[in-house]
Amino acid sequence: MKTDWAGIVAEKLAEVPEGYVRESILSPTAPETTHHRLFFQCGGKGALERAELFPGLTLTRMCIQSEDFPHHHAARQGGLELTHCHIGRVGWSMKEGVTLYLGPGDLALHTMDCCAHSVLGFPLGYYEGVSLTLDPEKLAAQLPPVLAQAGVDPLALRERFCPKGHPAVLTARPELEPIFQPLYDLPRALRLPYYTLKVQELLLTLSRMDPPEEKQPTQYLSQQVELIRAIHDQLMDRPDQRVTIETLAKAYHLNTSTLKTVFKAVYGQPIAAHMKHHRMQEAARLLRETDRSVGDIAQQVGYENQSKFSKVFRETFQILPTEYRRQQRG
């Protein structure tokens, strides 16, 4: 059975009121004190945890259950932002009409004038990740001893990964996973020490890595992304309908190759796999919340053959629909 990442995020946010975001500030000068505040977020909910680890370097851990989230910061020339996606998917519009998407394990680096006052989008409806905001000049002036000893230059880091202000994406790779993985499930007392340690390890690692190739497979024209989101909404609204890729491409004036490529970039799966997942999730909800027969539910999610529906449901949840209903209601 696949991991229920949406459920994991929902559990982490169980104490946050619907429609709000909880912001926590960790203070390196007073590690035992955490400042909290709630602010209104029109849809969904979330939690932010911020810590200024060094002068010119702030870490923000984000856990969101929503389809979007306003992301406002100054268009600071020379500022650098690093974003790591842990769970779900995240995308945001850059300048020059380009939209950037990250999946689990991906790391993006971009200058802070690329996405000022943008809106973060979460195509799967949930997300957890870490962002670092750097003021390279300020950080270089008071560089932590470990980074100074290794000769890390924050200014050179910005120029190497973001030449001419263009964003860069390091797709999920083994050498980055041990840096970020420990950051997401730490007890409160260990967060600041781990954040401080791992951020320095990240900058050390990046200082000896080569930038990715110029062609970035995670960047797409914003107009294409909007069409893909419209296609996705159409498919989600009518899971009982079976529509071919060719029909969708013709209706939205896209070629089939672009449709398939951009859809997978935005939602992390090919169309067929994404629809299968959605149909099974909807079927599970109907089994839990209604008294409709298994046959009716099968038809409502696009399966004319009940036995085929039951087979796919069992492959997904490791249990037959009738047993699933009985178990959930028991």
Side-chain angles (χ1 to χ4, degrees):
M1 186 186 300
K2 294 182 179 179
T3 303
D4 181 13
W5 296 117
I8 290 173
V9 170
E11 185 176 345
K12 289 185 176 185
L13 297 174
E15 297 181 0
V16 179
E18 190 68 30
Y20 285 85
V21 172
R22 181 185 64 205
E23 183 180 48
S24 306
I25 308 295
L26 303 182
S27 172
T29 58
E32 300 301 318
T33 304
T34 303
H35 301 284
H36 300 283
R37 75 180 179 107
L38 281 175
F39 62 89
F40 182 68
Q41 156 76 5
C42 58
K45 56 183 177 177
L48 306 177
E49 185 173 73
R50 303 187 195 275
E52 184 178 2
L53 303 178
F54 304 106
L57 195 158
T58 299
L59 178 145
T60 302
R61 187 162 65 96
M62 177 181 290
C63 189
I64 296 289
Q65 190 178 27
S66 179
E67 292 185 357
D68 52 52
F69 180 76
H71 183 56
H72 300 300
H73 61 70
R76 190 166 68 240
Q77 289 287 339
L80 187 64
E81 186 168 270
L82 289 72
T83 300
H84 177 262
C85 175
H86 176 52
I87 292 175
R89 296 187 72 76
V90 59
W92 59 104
S93 296
M94 300 287 175
K95 61 183 181 181
E96 300 177 358
V98 170
T99 298
L100 184 73
Y101 277 94
L102 302 181
D106 294 345
L107 175 68
L109 301 90
H110 62 84
T111 57
M112 292 185 68
D113 61 330
C114 278
C115 64
H117 309 297
S118 63
V119 175
L120 294 178
F122 310 109
L124 304 182
Y126 61 89
Y127 168 76
E128 185 176 30
V130 162
S131 292
L132 301 177
T133 55
L134 278 74
D135 182 330
E137 287 83 1
K138 189 174 182 180
L139 181 62
Q142 302 182 63
L143 203 61
V146 170
L147 301 183
Q149 183 180 4
V152 174
D153 183 352
L155 296 167
L157 196 70
R158 181 186 67 198
E159 294 305 317
R160 189 162 83 255
F161 282 94
C162 302
K164 301 179 181 179
H166 296 160
V169 174
L170 303 174
T171 53
R173 53 187 66 192
E175 61 265 44
L176 293 178
E177 184 178 356
I179 298 175
F180 288 101
Q181 189 63 38
L183 300 182
Y184 292 102
D185 292 295
L186 290 167
R188 191 176 71 85
L190 293 179
R191 288 176 188 170
L192 274 173
Y194 260 92
Y195 292 166
T196 304
L197 176 67
K198 290 298 185 178
V199 161
Q200 293 181 85
E201 184 182 356
L202 173 64
L203 295 180
L204 284 168
T205 301
L206 290 175
S207 70
R208 59 185 180 84
M209 288 179 64
D210 294 325
E213 296 180 3
E214 185 175 346
K215 184 179 179 182
Q216 292 292 310
T218 48
Q219 297 179 35
Y220 299 93
L221 295 176
S222 298
Q223 290 178 334
Q224 293 177 337
V225 171
E226 288 304 313
L227 289 175
I228 293 302
R229 293 177 67 179
I231 290 172
H232 177 266
D233 291 346
Q234 175 185 327
L235 294 173
M236 295 299 104
D237 289 343
R238 295 300 304 271
D240 57 317
Q241 289 187 343
R242 297 279 180 169
V243 185
T244 67
I245 291 176
E246 289 73 18
T247 300
L248 290 170
K250 185 176 180 180
Y252 287 88
H253 306 290
L254 291 167
N255 66 57
T256 56
S257 177
T258 299
L259 194 160
K260 290 188 286 188
T261 300
V262 182
F263 191 100
K264 186 175 181 181
V266 175
Y267 295 99
Q269 292 179 307
I271 293 177
H274 189 75
M275 281 305 300
K276 176 182 173 182
H277 174 78
H278 174 69
R279 288 185 172 107
M280 291 302 102
Q281 293 297 320
E282 178 64 9
R285 185 190 69 80
L286 291 170
L287 287 166
R288 291 193 307 269
E289 299 177 5
T290 75
D291 293 320
R292 296 174 187 171
S293 70
V294 173
D296 286 345
I297 291 174
Q299 289 189 351
Q300 187 163 342
V301 297
Y303 288 86
E304 295 182 2
N305 187 306
Q306 182 178 328
S307 62
K308 184 177 181 180
F309 164 75
S310 296
K311 179 182 178 182
V312 174
F313 191 93
R314 185 172 186 175
E315 289 172 352
T316 304
F317 296 102
Q318 312 301 309
I319 191 172
L320 287 169
T322 50
E323 291 298 320
Y324 178 85
R325 171 177 273 169
R326 186 178 299 115
Q327 189 180 85
Q328 292 294 313
R329 295 188 175 184

